[in-house]
Amino acid sequence: MIIFKSINRLNKEVNFKANIGFVPTMGALHKGHFSLIKSSKKKCKKTLVSIFVNPSQFNKKNDYKNYPRNLKRDIKILKILKVDYLLIPKINEIYKNKKNMKIKLNKKDKILCVKYRPGHFEGVLAIINQFLINIKAKFMFLGEKDYQQIHLLKKFIKSKFKTKIIPCKTVRLNNSLAYSSRNFLLSKNEIQKASLISNSVRSFYLSIKKNFRNKNNINEIKKNIESKRIKVDYFELRNKKNLSKKIDKNNFKIFIAYYINNIRLIDNF
């Protein structure tokens, strides 16, 4: 594995005309990331992983400060997975061109996490914009746990870049809680509590598939979750194609964001 600490050097030494898959991460790698890397290795000739904890996508300073970081462990894992290239760019290189980092979202996109994390997705889109200006990868692999992120990125890069987004299924702990870097901040008891919430949301999803009228139970399910001393940002049914509220039995997803001891988790079914 070749490690690059400069995007310019990466550009000079990597042939992006080849079939290259790109997996952008913030480190603290877990089985969800492993799945993305394996999908890239299966589809592409070479795989590039980036590790960059992007300050502009954190709307709370403490969240950025406390975000789990373990670069030595991550590098060891990536070597075991036989990743071809690793990019670990410096902040001053990423933010050198401030014009590329100014992104605005449409008013109709200000739902779900956009509504509750002001500035977050502007930061996400800005960093991906900066990456793809320099990294001409054929494919970019992203996990469906961050479903809204994929939706926004698809719209954003559609007319700007040739890179195609490949969504990959959410990987779960014992078919329950979605793997997340933030899970490293949770105790065993908190992991169990989060797993119960995932199971509750999954059961609600299956009940709607069985009888669409069960969607009307959403407030009852939310109250049940909140009764466990859980702060819920949102718990909504949305159209899985365009994230509007126009849904039917075959075209809906459930989205949830909640806190366990100040650790914010998201999921969708």
Side-chain angles (χ1 to χ4, degrees):
M1 182 174 75
I2 302 172
I3 299 175
F4 296 95
K5 294 186 178 179
S6 161
I7 295 177
N8 286 335
R9 187 173 154 240
L10 174 79
N11 252 327
K12 288 175 184 176
E13 297 188 24
V14 174
N15 175 20
F16 282 107
K17 289 182 181 178
N19 181 6
I20 292 180
F22 178 39
V23 182
T25 83
M26 292 204 299
L29 302 178
H30 51 71
K31 287 185 179 180
H33 295 117
F34 305 169
S35 175
L36 300 179
I37 291 164
K38 286 172 183 175
S39 295
S40 176
K41 286 175 68 65
K42 194 173 181 179
K43 191 174 183 67
C44 304
K45 190 174 182 181
K46 301 281 185 179
T47 293
L48 163 67
V49 173
S50 68
I51 294 177
F52 181 69
V53 183
N54 178 28
S56 68
Q57 68 188 73
F58 290 84
N59 51 324
K60 293 179 182 177
K61 286 183 179 179
N62 278 344
D63 194 18
Y64 174 67
K65 183 182 174 183
N66 296 327
Y67 194 83
R69 295 165 172 87
N70 194 333
L71 188 57
K72 283 185 179 179
R73 173 187 170 273
D74 290 342
I75 290 172
K76 188 177 179 181
I77 287 168
L78 294 174
K79 284 180 177 177
I80 291 169
L81 291 172
K82 296 182 179 179
V83 165
D84 300 285
Y85 310 116
L86 169 61
L87 173 63
I88 314 170
K90 292 181 173 61
I91 287 180
N92 58 0
E93 184 183 23
I94 293 294
Y95 286 87
K96 186 169 61 177
N97 189 335
K98 291 184 179 179
K99 186 181 176 182
N100 293 335
M101 301 302 287
K102 290 181 179 178
I103 306 292
K104 287 186 177 180
L105 291 173
N106 295 325
K107 191 176 180 180
K108 66 178 182 179
D109 289 323
K110 293 182 179 180
I111 58 171
L112 302 175
C113 278
V114 178
K115 181 180 177 181
Y116 287 91
R117 297 188 70 189
H120 168 69
F121 280 112
E122 288 87 342
V124 171
L125 295 178
I127 186 66
I128 294 299
N129 183 51
Q130 190 73 323
F131 276 149
L132 294 185
I133 285 170
N134 296 283
I135 296 169
K136 312 295 183 185
K138 194 170 183 179
F139 302 103
M140 181 165 64
F141 296 81
L142 300 170
E144 288 189 343
K145 180 180 75 70
D146 299 298
Y147 198 89
Q148 186 179 17
Q149 178 173 286
I150 292 175
H151 172 74
L152 292 172
L153 280 170
K154 277 185 174 180
K155 286 206 305 184
F156 178 72
I157 74 170
K158 190 176 180 180
S159 58
K160 291 192 71 174
F161 303 105
K162 291 182 179 179
T163 301
K164 183 182 178 183
I165 291 176
I166 307 294
C168 300
K169 286 185 178 180
T170 303
V171 180
R172 297 182 178 277
L173 179 69
N174 297 326
N175 294 321
S176 179
L177 179 64
Y179 277 96
S180 167
S181 296
R182 295 179 191 275
N183 291 359
F184 288 115
L185 302 173
L186 299 175
S187 67
K188 284 186 178 180
N189 285 339
E190 288 165 345
I191 289 282
Q192 283 184 326
K193 198 172 187 179
S195 294
L196 288 173
I197 293 168
S198 292
N199 285 333
S200 176
V201 178
R202 182 175 180 271
S203 295
F204 181 43
Y205 171 82
L206 293 174
S207 76
I208 297 171
K209 291 296 284 183
K210 194 172 182 180
N211 184 345
F212 193 59
R213 281 180 294 182
N214 286 333
K215 67 183 174 62
N216 298 322
N217 296 332
I218 189 165
N219 288 331
E220 184 184 332
I221 305 294
K222 184 184 176 186
K223 283 179 183 177
N224 186 45
I225 291 170
E226 289 174 328
S227 71
K228 297 175 174 64
R229 295 182 180 179
I230 298 293
K231 181 194 171 189
V232 177
D233 267 356
Y234 59 79
F235 184 46
E236 297 183 26
L237 295 167
R238 292 266 175 182
N239 184 300
K240 63 185 178 184
K241 292 179 181 176
N242 58 24
L243 298 188
S244 72
K245 288 193 172 182
K246 292 179 182 178
I247 62 172
D248 60 51
K249 186 177 180 179
N250 298 311
N251 184 11
F252 77 93
K253 259 188 176 292
I254 305 172
F255 294 88
I256 187 170
Y258 61 95
Y259 288 85
I260 291 185
N261 284 359
N262 296 317
I263 307 302
R264 190 176 190 273
L265 301 174
I266 62 171
D267 207 346
N268 62 80
F269 285 89

